[in-house]
Amino acid sequence: MKPTLLLLAAGMGSRYGGLKQLDGLGPNGETIMDYSIYDAIKAGFGKIVFVIRKDFEQDFREKVLSKYEGHVPVKLCFQGLDALPEGFSCPEGRVKPWGTNHAVLMAKDVIKEPFCVINCDDFYNRDAFMVIGKFLADLPEGSKDAYAMVGFRVGNTLSENGTVARGICSTDEGGNLTTVVERTEIMRVGGPVCYKDEEGAWVPVDDNTPVSMNMWGFTPDYFEHSEAYFREFLSDPKNMANPKAEFFIPLMVNKLIGERTATVKVLDTTSKWFGVTYAADRQGVVDRIKDLVDEGVYPARLF
């Protein structure tokens, strides 16, 4: 069975200042996710699922989905603040989405095969899709609790225009993930790459430290784990009282690893990430895509 690609596209891109998922950056108005989907199809993925917000469904269907007709099956799911398990309701005053793992949960009824989760605004490059696609396609039928993550080197994932958020990873001797800690402010500080810790101090890390770019490989049993843990998350009064509390993918993964419920293989890739975190990043991305088209890596028109 061919794996599915799940794209998380419900965010508005607050630091970028607009709906960057629909920003045309390629020579014919291609978006970053167009390149991800093109690479995924080349890597053997058989279906595309988007998680978006309901309020820009029409725009999304007209500007995005229409171009994939005849190329690959596509489905839509919707992330909303009130998409909660029975017995729970959204706290008054909350406007922030519930996080990346909540977004993943929105696809539980349409994905029944191994799948890869990615962000829509990150340019991962083809090798990353080949690596995760092969892992998922090679899983024995009925596999459970054997997951993967594509690990990028932190030094290759920075923006020149401000901090970035990354999951800092640790691995064991077998190349399995042992911990992933979401760090929301990472940048070079006087030379070395550093992240800001809970006390506000800058902590240096090696340039080759693997980080999560939210490129995960799961089997459908992951939805069951996520649904159960989301109930625990919502049952914690601290999370319900905090309007910024989020149910991140690394939160779920750390729990499964810590309980020895699942393993997560960290897959190496030759890909170098780039993306639009800030508006000032945009022109650099446009230039790099043009270079890849000029080199023949991508056609001038993808679909």
Side-chain angles (χ1 to χ4, degrees), residues 68-90:
Y68 306 133
E69 290 179 359
H71 294 282
V72 64
V74 178
K75 290 186 177 294
L76 277 184
C77 302
F78 303 101
Q79 183 182 22
L81 290 175
D82 57 351
L84 301 175
E86 186 176 351
F88 294 92
S89 58
C90 184

Side-chain angles (χ1 to χ4, degrees), residues 68-174:
Y68 306 133
E69 290 179 359
H71 294 282
V72 64
V74 178
K75 290 186 177 294
L76 277 184
C77 302
F78 303 101
Q79 183 182 22
L81 290 175
D82 57 351
L84 301 175
E86 186 176 351
F88 294 92
S89 58
C90 184
E92 185 178 351
R94 183 177 178 104
V95 295
K96 191 174 181 63
W98 291 102
T100 51
N101 211 55
H102 178 251
V104 171
L105 259 177
M106 299 303 98
K108 65 184 176 66
D109 292 331
V110 299
I111 296 180
K112 307 299 180 185
E113 58 282 321
F115 64 100
C116 170
V117 180
I118 65 168
N119 297 330
C120 277
D121 48 9
D122 291 313
F123 199 110
Y124 293 99
N125 277 302
R126 189 168 303 157
D127 183 70
F129 288 98
M130 299 296 289
V131 167
I132 192 72
K134 184 178 188 306
F135 174 88
L136 294 172
D138 288 349
L139 287 173
E141 188 174 351
S143 290
K144 291 185 176 183
D145 300 323
Y147 308 143
M149 186 205 82
V150 178
F152 288 74
R153 298 176 181 182
V154 66
N156 292 333
T157 72
L158 305 178
S159 168
E160 297 178 355
N161 298 297
T163 61
V164 295
R166 303 285 181 256
I168 301 286
C169 302
S170 301
T171 58
D172 62 19
E173 293 180 356

